[in-house]
Amino acid sequence: MKTVSSFQTLKNNNEKIAMLTAYDYSTAQVLDKAEVDAILVGDSLAMVVLGHENTYNITIDEMLIFVSAVARGAKNSFIIGDMPFMSYNLSVAQGLENAGKMIKAGANAVKLEGCNDHIINLIKRCTESGIPVLGHLGFTPQLMNALGGHKIQGKTSDKIEAILESAKKLEEAGCFGIVLELMPADSAKYITENLNIPTIGIGAGVNCSGQIVVIDDILGKFTDFTPKFVKKYANLHDDIMKGVLAYKQEVKEGLFPSDKESFELNKEEKEKLFS
Ligand code: KIV
């Protein structure tokens, strides 16, 4: 069983941390068998599973359904529940209560985006209450409107120092790691080298302590758009299409179901009906 301390051990041993998102029971079973270092039930599911345009329109109650499905499928994995927009922004009490719901649903930790006084207080209260927290800096989708869109972050030394300052505050508040999203590889390298806790990159180059990607992106299942930082390891959209078309054709031609997929009525009963 992987635990929150596995992250620091992997970093200290110079072993890269391989994380993936998952949102459902059967995918979680695969990730569990593959022994990925951790599974994030990301609010990206608002887009890749529910078809929303961004991550704003998912609630804590919806997230909990997916977290519990993943927890049932991945019994040996470290599972992180992503706190959705406005599930922790109103007050520390609100954030702590919702983080507790994530843990009760089967998560081992939660992820929060950004860094300000409120987030720092919330991280402290979560960690004091036994809820490990993963931070998230750089491009933070829940702050997209304030950031002026989907833009690469940390492009100047001033901005990189500002992200590092936030990262240090998150580390001090008790985060066990920090996701760094969408920034030049050297910016993430500098931030990683100046922290004790591991960084998990997404679109942040190879020098982070580990990587996270959206599983539907790397398996080619989500095809609305493909960010530059995504490498495709499979093409599930085409594989599913092939399967669906073959099924459709066999149904139309009366080839499915064959005897192999059917149940037989005993001979006597059959004669009563058809003779
Ligand atoms: O929601 C998500 O999947 C994420 C990762 C991409 C870091 O936040």
Side-chain angles (χ1 to χ4, degrees), residues 43 55 82-86 88-89 110-124 133-144 146-147 153 162-175 177-181 183 197:
D43 64 355
T55 59
D82 206 2
M83 299 284 285
F85 182 62
M86 284 299 144
Y88 56 99
N89 313 71
V110 298
K111 179 169 82 60
L112 306 173
E113 293 188 10
C115 177
N116 55 34
D117 291 348
H118 165 65
I119 299 287
I120 294 297
N121 287 335
L122 178 56
I123 292 167
K124 286 183 183 160
V133 181
L134 180 65
H136 187 159
L137 296 173
F139 177 70
T140 42
Q142 292 174 19
L143 301 172
M144 185 169 64
L147 293 172
Q153 305 294 306
I163 298 173
L164 175 61
E165 197 183 318
S166 295
K168 284 187 168 165
K169 284 185 190 162
L170 296 185
E171 175 174 295
E172 209 176 302
C175 281
I178 301 174
V179 170
L180 296 180
E181 180 163 352
M183 63 179 67
I197 55 173

Side-chain angles (χ1 to χ4, degrees), residues 208-227:
C208 296
S209 320
Q211 299 292 325
I212 171 95
V213 274
V214 170
I215 192 158
D216 294 54
D217 283 340
I218 60 154
L219 297 185
K221 188 164 176 242
F222 180 74
T223 55
D224 286 5
F225 58 88
T226 305

Side-chain angles (χ1 to χ4, degrees), residues 61-75:
D61 289 338
E62 289 168 322
M63 286 297 298
L64 294 174
I65 294 169
F66 295 93
V67 168
S68 60
V70 168
R72 286 190 287 272
K75 298 222 161 44

